[in-house]
Amino acid sequence: TLIVNGVECEPRLTSDYRVMLEQTADLLTGVRYLTRLLGGPRVLVAVETHYHAAAERVRVAAAEAGVALEVVELPVKYPQGAEKVLLRTLLGREVPSGGLPSDVDATCVNVATAAEIGRLLPHGRGIQERIVTLAGPALARPGNYRMAIGTPLRFALEQAGASEDLARVFVGGPMMGQAVADLDAPITKGIGGLVAFTAAETKPQVEYPCIHCGACVDACPLFLNPFELGRHARAGEHAAMAERYHLADCFECGACSYVCPSHIPLVQEFRAAKAALRREAVA
């Protein structure tokens, strides 16, 4: 099964939605190439219900172009756009720990990737630009912009009317994105969005001791145990996190941090633990 992922995993990001509406022909061409490469799989295009216009656009265009695919509209639920979660939702298949979608006879490709394949491959070109969502309360002109790869983040934000009160910028979305340390860093092919906040929205929260409520465990879409992962992270027991609690399977959706009543930065702890494990592996 080839899954073309049109589910915007992050709040505020809408670049995939605009790609489905405005690059429909490129998307279908990309699907043709991918179908040929994978040997004629069943093709599912996943879209959330609040993007019904895009779903209908793809559905009608595919019928007119003779491209065999099924558009599946899913309820809006974060983080449904994550690869493993989407596979479970659409196919009822569980990717094994440490595994890939190919282990369950599936391939998952983002709609923007499929559209770029359809747009560039016939001309023998590599990726030179991409659609990026610029959003957040610190921008006067939020929207989706086509940007050249290598564009400085500072320049991109200026075009969207960045406020003088700009305090923090996240690459990606507000849940999974990471704070930018240098606005002179470039737009890369992996950046789908920039979210800009003023000082009023970025006040630090006070962290309290864990009250063992289990909210993080209930929130994890992969049924991991963020409580135990966090406990071992704070103790520096990274090997136990990797071996016993499957740290590598965490895709850092931020759901555990979001629901934590004690405001414990669980995702940041997991990222630090993964970095420590990488350093240990190199050493």
Side-chain angles (χ1 to χ4, degrees):
T1 302
L2 168 63
I3 296 174
V4 182
N5 187 357
V7 178
E8 297 279 4
C9 193
E10 285 270 26
R12 294 184 181 267
L13 302 191
T14 56
S15 56
D16 288 347
Y17 172 60
R18 299 312 306 180
V19 165
M20 287 185 284
L21 283 178
E22 299 180 30
Q23 291 184 245
T24 316
D26 293 335
L27 172 60
L28 295 178
T29 300
V31 169
R32 284 196 183 99
Y33 282 124
L34 290 166
T35 302
R36 188 183 309 170
L37 176 67
L38 295 170
R42 175 192 182 198
V43 181
L44 302 178
V45 180
V47 185
E48 287 188 315
T49 51
H50 64 324
Y51 291 152
H52 176 73
E56 194 60 24
R57 179 71 170 267
V58 172
R59 190 178 285 120
V60 171
E64 292 174 349
V67 178
L69 57 79
E70 179 185 351
V71 179
V72 182
E73 295 187 54
L74 301 171
V76 180
K77 184 178 181 180
Y78 179 83
Q80 193 157 233
E83 193 173 70
K84 291 183 179 180
V85 178
L86 192 59
L87 281 167
R88 188 171 67 233
T89 301
L90 289 175
L91 305 177
R93 302 176 192 172
E94 291 282 350
V95 177
S97 179
L100 297 169
S102 57
D103 296 327
V104 292
D105 297 321
T107 298
C108 195
V109 178
N110 182 264
V111 291
T113 302
E116 287 302 294
I117 290 172
R119 188 168 73 95
L120 299 174
L121 193 58
H123 306 289
R125 291 171 49 202
I127 187 167
Q128 298 172 321
E129 56 189 16
R130 69 158 299 156
I131 306 298
V132 180
T133 298
L134 300 184
L139 300 180
R141 296 182 295 277
N144 291 287
Y145 294 77
R146 184 180 293 277
M147 296 188 190
I149 302 300
T151 301
L153 303 183
R154 188 185 308 277
F155 179 83
L157 293 168
E158 288 171 356
Q159 307 316 300
S163 165
E164 293 182 0
D165 194 26
L166 177 67
R168 287 188 95 181
V169 177
F170 289 85
V171 170
M175 294 293 287
M176 297 174 68
Q178 298 195 38
V180 175
D182 183 4
L183 290 181
D184 292 319
I187 293 289
T188 65
K189 65 180 180 179
I191 293 178
L194 296 176
V195 185
F197 294 96
T198 64
E201 287 94 21
T202 55
K203 294 178 181 177
Q205 292 181 312
V206 177
E207 181 182 338
Y208 297 98
C210 174
I211 61 173
H212 299 226
C213 66
C216 59
V217 179
D218 291 338
C220 181
L222 293 186
F223 311 109
L224 302 178
N225 191 327
F227 164 74
E228 289 291 350
L229 285 168
R231 185 170 69 85
H232 286 290
R234 287 184 287 277
E237 298 169 346
H238 302 140
M241 295 174 70
E243 296 169 10
R244 188 180 306 173
Y245 296 106
H246 307 289
L247 175 64
D249 289 336
C250 170
F251 59 88
E252 302 169 15
C253 69
C256 54
S257 297
Y258 185 79
V259 302
C260 179
S262 296
H263 308 304
I264 298 172
L266 291 164
V267 171
Q268 285 82 351
E269 293 177 350
F270 303 161
R271 286 173 179 163
K274 289 178 181 179
L277 285 169
R278 287 194 293 269
R279 289 193 298 270
E280 292 170 10
V282 171

